[in-house]
Amino acid sequence: RMNGSDRMGDGKYLNKIFGLLGEKAGRPTNENGKIAWGFLNSLQELIRDETGILKNAKFMHAGSAYEGLSVNAEADFDIPLILSGPGRIFVRENFEIYREEQSKQFLLKWKENIHSEYRYKYNSNGFLHSKALLNDAFERLEFLISELSDWKVEAKRGLVSLVLTIYSQFGSKRISMDLVTQISFSHWECPDIVPLHRLPESLQRYVVKLQRNGSSIFFASLTVPKPQSAELCSIAFSMLEKKFLVEDVNVRDIVRLVKLIAECRNWKKKYSLKSFQLKHLAIKHVEKLIGIPIWEGVKLLLNYIYNDLQDNTIKDFFIKNQVIYPGKPTKVNDIHREIHEVMKWSPNDLYKEAERLYEREEDEHTGLQTWTPYRGTTAHSHRTQEWLHPSNSANMAAYDREEEEGSGLSTMTKVGIGAGVAVGVAAIAALAAASK
């Protein structure tokens, strides 16, 4: 699928970049994903017997490990736990949504006709007491995790998540996982949400499809960083972005390469510019990125980042008057200067930068033991890579159906958990064929 205007050298080095990503990021992320799957599957089995606030709760999967966006071995495992509760008390239909003017965050107000012990237990002036619900959910999760005698797991409460460190069988490998508790919304209704008709056309069609199927579109997270009150929630669109990107391989690969550039230049540490903000801008401008050669798309997305930072902020695309990146003028000037520099790169330049990045990382990890996947996992294989690759649309569709239908983790999810992560030899060639 080489574009007629593509230069042969670009395709060659894009091929090499994706091969390097597969070796240095895709393979270890896939192995970590097997550990994550084994742990989540064990925890889901215990949750199935719950009768309290975790009744009918189910895991979903977010973060670069599940989006095909990993650029190093330490990919993010962000795991939303979607609450339901006895009698499906914690569902969108039981609440009205309000937005607090000062914080720009959200509140869920109980509807008057809801009568349940949980409605009265988690009630604060008519609003959901999200902090109390979060604490009780975390307390119950901590207990269930302690019951998993076959697993060595450390749990620590953060402001918005339960941060887990999961160890492999012999303790020579550990992965980090963030569990967040959320309430699902299946309709495009929320104060100050951008009207559906103003979304990019391709995203409009996708949201309409989700609404028609009754699938989750966005979520209310039960607390926000540095909350001003115990009732506040934040609204998250990460799962919508993930599923949309997984469906468009070309756009996802553009985002992944821009994320690799950011990693090579250390933008997260220097400027607090994170991958979710880069991904958000790609969704905002997706109509311009669909179907174009990959390297052309990389430069176009970099240009959008540059332009969106002109007022020193990145604004939320889905919610009005919401800032997701409050940049400082001096840092933004530095980002602009660096974007000017990397815009001059060729795929060959990025390949060399990526090689140096991975050499530095290997030097930092010299002396670490070879690790063994945790009990119940299997060795990495080429067959597994082929199964997991996003180009295998049947497997990806089955995996997404499980998340949308709320079936929890099953045998299909065990394999699908690495979808978009492992990149095999045949897959690299396919990606290169779409490159410029």
Side-chain angles (χ1 to χ4, degrees):
R1 291 170 25 210
M2 292 286 283
N3 184 287
S5 63
D6 288 341
R7 295 190 299 272
M8 186 176 296
D10 283 359
K12 171 185 175 182
Y13 284 104
L14 284 169
N15 188 356
K16 294 179 71 173
I17 291 169
F18 284 116
L20 194 62
L21 284 169
E23 176 188 353
K24 303 296 185 180
R27 183 172 299 170
T29 299
N30 186 49
E31 294 293 351
N32 289 349
K34 293 173 184 176
I35 297 176
W37 171 82
F39 169 75
L40 289 172
N41 192 56
S42 298
L43 186 54
Q44 184 73 69
E45 286 295 322
L46 296 183
I47 288 175
R48 287 195 181 102
D49 295 329
E50 288 292 286
T51 58
I53 58 174
L54 296 187
K55 182 179 176 64
N56 299 318
K58 65 183 181 71
F59 291 117
M60 298 186 81
H61 316 94
S64 60
Y66 298 102
E67 297 166 336
L69 297 177
S70 59
V71 297
N72 56 41
E74 303 300 325
D76 299 328
F77 288 90
D78 299 329
I79 308 296
L81 180 64
I82 312 305
L83 297 181
S84 177
R88 299 182 73 250
I89 184 67
F90 304 117
V91 295
R92 165 69 180 93
E93 291 77 15
N94 293 339
F95 300 100
E96 296 174 355
I97 312 176
Y98 291 83
R99 193 175 191 191
E100 188 186 68
E101 184 62 30
Q102 183 177 0
S103 68
K104 301 299 183 185
Q105 296 299 335
F106 297 86
L107 304 102
L108 301 183
K109 186 174 183 179
W110 289 100
K111 291 185 177 179
E112 292 296 332
N113 62 338
I114 303 302
H115 300 286
S116 165
E117 62 176 295
Y118 295 97
R119 183 237 194 268
Y120 299 107
K121 181 176 182 181
Y122 301 110
N123 180 57
S124 177
N125 299 319
F127 294 95
L128 174 70
H129 198 298
S130 57
K131 190 67 176 178
L133 177 58
L134 181 77
N135 285 336
D136 285 354
F138 280 177
E139 182 177 344
R140 190 59 191 168
L141 281 169
E142 288 166 342
F143 171 77
L144 294 179
I145 290 169
S146 71
E147 294 289 291
L148 297 174
S149 58
D150 288 341
W151 292 90
K152 181 182 178 183
V153 181
E154 295 176 355
K156 180 180 180 181
R157 295 193 192 188
L159 286 174
V160 298
S161 64
L162 188 63
V163 182
L164 306 181
T165 303
I166 306 168
Y167 292 85
S168 62
Q169 187 173 7
F170 301 109
S172 54
K173 178 69 176 179
R174 63 183 184 182
I175 65 170
S176 180
M177 177 183 292
D178 287 357
L179 289 183
V180 294
T181 51
Q182 297 182 335
I183 293 173
S184 171
F185 294 75
S186 57
H187 296 283
W188 195 256
E189 298 171 0
C190 182
D192 291 333
I193 197 169
V194 172
L196 187 58
H197 70 269
R198 289 182 53 190
L199 296 180
E201 187 177 340
S202 53
L203 189 56
Q204 282 184 48
R205 292 194 300 268
Y206 190 65
V207 171
V208 169
K209 172 187 169 184
L210 292 177
Q211 286 191 138
R212 186 169 58 246
N213 296 338
S215 302
S216 300
I217 298 175
F218 59 91
F219 301 86
S221 294
L222 291 182
T223 189
V224 296
K226 301 178 181 178
Q228 289 85 349
S229 78
E231 296 86 18
L232 291 181
C233 300
S234 60
I235 300 297
F237 294 85
S238 55
M239 291 302 300
L240 174 64
E241 294 176 332
K242 170 216 163 180
K243 291 182 179 182
F244 185 71
L245 285 175
V246 165
E247 287 207 348
D248 195 302
V249 177
N250 197 69
V251 175
R252 189 201 62 227
D253 288 339
I254 290 169
V255 176
R256 194 181 189 193
L257 292 184
V258 171
K259 185 179 175 182
L260 178 60
I261 291 171
E263 189 80 9
C264 289
R265 299 303 292 254
N266 206 14
W267 287 353
K268 180 178 179 180
K269 183 175 182 180
K270 291 190 294 186
Y271 310 124
S272 300
L273 192 59
K274 301 177 182 178
S275 61
F276 86 89
Q277 293 147 345
L278 306 179
K279 181 176 63 176
H280 194 79
L281 288 178
I283 296 292
K284 177 181 178 180
H285 300 287
V286 69
E287 294 297 320
K288 300 293 186 181
L289 299 175
I290 290 176
I292 68 173
I294 290 178
W295 194 247
E296 182 180 328
V298 167
K299 294 196 171 184
L300 190 57
L301 181 52
L302 287 169
N303 188 60
Y304 286 136
I305 296 168
Y306 185 99
N307 291 335
D308 277 69
L309 281 169
Q310 292 288 1
D311 65 352
N312 301 318
T313 64
I314 296 177
K315 295 180 177 62
D316 194 300
F317 174 55
F318 296 114
I319 299 291
K320 301 174 185 176
N321 303 316
Q322 187 100 323
V323 172
I324 62 172
Y325 180 75
K328 296 180 179 178
T330 54
K331 286 191 175 183
V332 170
N333 287 338
D334 289 340
I335 295 174
H336 279 158
R337 176 181 51 78
E338 289 208 34
I339 290 177
H340 268 302
E341 293 176 8
V342 300
M343 286 281 282
K344 300 173 184 177
W345 285 5
S346 67
N348 186 19
D349 295 323
L350 178 55
Y351 177 70
K352 291 177 180 178
E353 290 285 336
E355 279 192 315
R356 286 191 281 270
L357 169 70
Y358 294 130
E359 285 173 2
R360 290 195 302 270
E361 290 182 351
E362 287 175 1
D363 289 342
E364 292 172 1
H365 292 87
T366 299
L368 290 180
Q369 289 179 283
T370 301
W371 64 279
T372 302
Y374 202 82
R375 178 170 92 73
T377 65
T378 57
H380 184 81
S381 68
H382 179 66
R383 180 182 179 188
T384 303
Q385 284 186 318
E386 289 179 337
W387 209 103
L388 297 177
H389 191 263
S391 62
N392 195 327
S393 57
N395 295 332
M396 285 299 297
Y399 175 64
D400 282 338
R401 275 199 307 275
E402 291 201 353
E403 292 203 327
E404 291 177 2
E405 294 168 2
S407 59
L409 291 167
S410 71
T411 305
M412 181 67 75
T413 311
K414 175 180 180 180
V415 188
I417 199 166
V421 175
V423 181
V425 175
I428 296 166
L431 289 169
S435 65
K436 178 177 177 182

